[in-house]
Amino acid sequence: MPSKAFGSNLQVPADKILGLAKFFLGIGIPSNAKDLYNQIDALACLESNRVSIPLILSLPATVLSLTRNDNLKVRVNTVLGSTAPPLSVKLMQVFSSGSTDAAIIDQELKFDAENAVHFLDTLPESIDVGNYVFVFEIVLRDPEHKKIYATGGRTRVPIYVTGIIKVGSAEIAVLDSDLGSIETQKKLDLPGENAIALSANHLQKLRLSFQLTTPLGHAFKPHQAFLKLRHETKIEHIFVVGNSGKQFEIVLDFLRLVEKFFYLSGRYEIELALGDTVMENSFLEHLGHVELDLPEPSEKAARPPLQPVDPYLRYGPKAEIVHIFRVPDKRPPQELSLAFLGFILLPLIGFLFGVSVQIIKSHVL
């Protein structure tokens, strides 16, 4: 973009200039040096133009933690990072995700001159964990600056507010299928260490229930809430945990699940997974196990799928082979061995002596 594009004869609205600045800042770093030079040159033209200098509002962090009491911080600079003129920043509105209703805030942020940031000590009381859209407005203090700088009116910024979700009233129970009475019930510590041991047959049910609340005491619905049962043969079954308000509950009717479980009796490990982008204590928790006694499968029943072989078991290091050699037999004393050797060699020596005597006699005769 050549510098003459903002000549005196060209009338460009301030909001258009601000839009161009945000476009050049938002396209990222070009792939080659020429495009990077053109991008920087265009931004330099926008910053030094004689029509209106755009001011960019940005946030150092768009994820705020209620647990750490993070402050909301806002920076206002020119497109190349130069210091902005004296101004104030106001938080005008806050929209929650998926809602068109906005909370009217109209609160001016404090200014930290040392770090050149505008900030809020505490978030508005109505802010809980979740996804929000914060609406800011830049107000220039000197009326003459309105002719020089372009602020673009109100700016909308998406912000994620995170926190620790409280898990309460967590319990797991085995129910009778007919009457629904509780046969076995265990309390759970979530998240925490649990090692429950349950047993059930195909005429019973397994129920898991708990409550989730935000730091402000509101009901919380995570993106993921799964219950996993894993058999000894590594076959896994995953179920979605439903909710009604604060209460999350899932009931597994084993009579209806015998085919899904391939009539496999034995030990099933129980795991619970809870997770969300704004949930700071997301977890995958091992709860314990349940011993299932299921009926024998019919001839037409589906067979369990073959589980993939772990490549590490096939191609990994083999188990060390430990071999103990046989203890050597006890040998006789050395003197006895030498005496036995002498008895064996004595006839041979006598034979050789006799042969040599006969040879000498034949030569003499």
Side-chain angles (χ1 to χ4, degrees):
M1 180 184 296
S3 301
K4 65 181 181 180
F6 294 100
S8 58
N9 296 328
L10 183 62
Q11 300 296 327
V12 181
D15 58 340
K16 298 295 183 182
I17 294 179
L18 186 63
L20 284 174
K22 292 181 178 180
F23 169 76
F24 286 119
L25 291 173
I27 59 177
I29 300 177
S31 57
N32 56 70
K34 181 179 179 181
D35 291 341
L36 178 61
Y37 170 79
N38 291 332
Q39 181 186 25
I40 297 176
D41 183 56
L43 292 173
C45 292
L46 290 173
E47 182 161 338
S48 61
N49 75 88
R50 297 190 299 272
V51 179
S52 192
I53 300 174
L55 296 177
I56 304 299
L57 183 146
S58 62
L59 274 68
T62 56
V63 178
L64 305 177
S65 172
L66 292 179
T67 307
R68 299 189 302 266
N69 294 322
D70 290 342
N71 294 334
L72 174 66
K73 297 180 181 180
V74 175
R75 295 184 185 275
V76 180
N77 303 97
T78 64
V79 290
L80 293 182
S82 299
T83 303
L87 53 82
S88 60
V89 177
K90 288 185 177 183
L91 175 60
M92 304 301 297
Q93 294 175 306
V94 175
F95 292 87
S96 61
S97 59
S99 175
T100 57
D101 297 332
I104 307 300
I105 306 298
D106 195 9
Q107 181 177 358
E108 183 176 342
L109 278 64
K110 298 179 181 179
F111 182 66
D112 181 1
E114 182 178 353
N115 298 311
V117 295
H118 303 262
F119 68 95
L120 275 180
D121 289 331
T122 58
L123 294 174
E125 294 181 356
S126 60
I127 299 298
D128 204 348
V129 295
N131 305 336
Y132 295 89
V133 175
F134 282 38
V135 181
F136 299 96
E137 186 176 54
I138 301 174
V139 180
L140 295 170
R141 296 177 181 175
D142 189 345
E144 292 297 324
H145 287 164
K146 296 180 180 179
K147 303 176 183 179
I148 304 174
Y149 296 95
T151 60
R154 297 185 176 183
T155 303
R156 303 163 65 96
V157 181
I159 292 180
Y160 297 88
V161 180
T162 65
I164 294 179
I165 303 301
K166 181 181 178 181
V167 186
S169 303
E171 60 183 26
I172 189 169
V174 176
L175 311 177
D176 289 333
S177 180
D178 296 333
L179 303 177
S181 59
I182 298 175
E183 181 174 316
T184 307
Q185 186 173 358
K186 302 284 187 180
K187 298 291 184 179
L188 297 174
D189 180 21
L190 298 176
E193 296 184 1
N194 299 277
I196 62 168
L198 302 173
S199 61
N201 56 44
H202 66 287
L203 299 178
Q204 295 177 317
K205 299 177 181 179
L206 181 70
R207 183 184 68 190
L208 172 69
S209 61
F210 54 88
Q211 295 180 355
L212 298 179
T213 52
T214 65
L216 296 186
H218 300 147
F220 179 75
K221 183 179 180 181
H223 290 162
Q224 297 180 346
F226 299 120
L227 180 67
K228 180 192 294 184
L229 269 66
R230 184 174 62 253
H231 189 252
E232 304 167 347
T233 58
K234 306 302 181 182
I235 297 178
E236 296 182 349
H237 306 280
I238 300 177
F239 305 91
V240 178
V241 182
N243 77 305
S244 56
K246 288 185 178 181
Q247 185 74 20
F248 282 77
E249 184 178 86
I250 182 173
V251 178
L252 301 182
D253 188 348
F254 294 127
L255 183 59
R256 298 182 179 181
L257 294 173
V258 289
E259 293 186 2
K260 182 179 179 65
F261 286 1
F262 304 105
Y263 295 88
L264 292 176
S265 299
R267 179 172 174 144
Y268 285 80
E269 301 296 330
I270 307 174
E271 292 182 350
L272 176 64
L274 288 177
D276 195 281
T277 54
V278 298
M279 183 176 176
E280 295 181 3
N281 56 332
S282 299
F283 61 86
L284 173 61
E285 188 78 21
H286 179 261
L287 305 182
H289 72 274
V290 57
E291 289 283 348
L292 279 185
D293 183 13
L294 303 181
E296 293 294 328
S298 61
E299 296 181 357
K300 296 182 180 180
R303 299 300 177 186
L306 296 176
Q307 297 300 303
V309 179
D310 188 356
Y312 184 82
L313 297 178
R314 178 180 294 180
Y315 303 108
K318 304 300 180 182
E320 181 181 358
I321 299 176
V322 180
H323 179 72
I324 300 177
F325 290 93
R326 183 173 60 88
V327 179
D329 296 334
K330 188 176 180 180
R331 296 183 180 183
Q334 185 177 5
E335 294 79 5
L336 182 59
S337 299
L338 294 176
F340 183 74
L341 178 62
F343 283 117
I344 294 176
L345 296 178
L346 186 59
L348 178 61
I349 295 173
F351 172 74
L352 294 176
F353 178 75
V355 171
S356 61
V357 170
Q358 291 295 329
I359 293 174
I360 294 174
K361 287 181 178 181
S362 62
H363 283 292
V364 173
L365 296 175

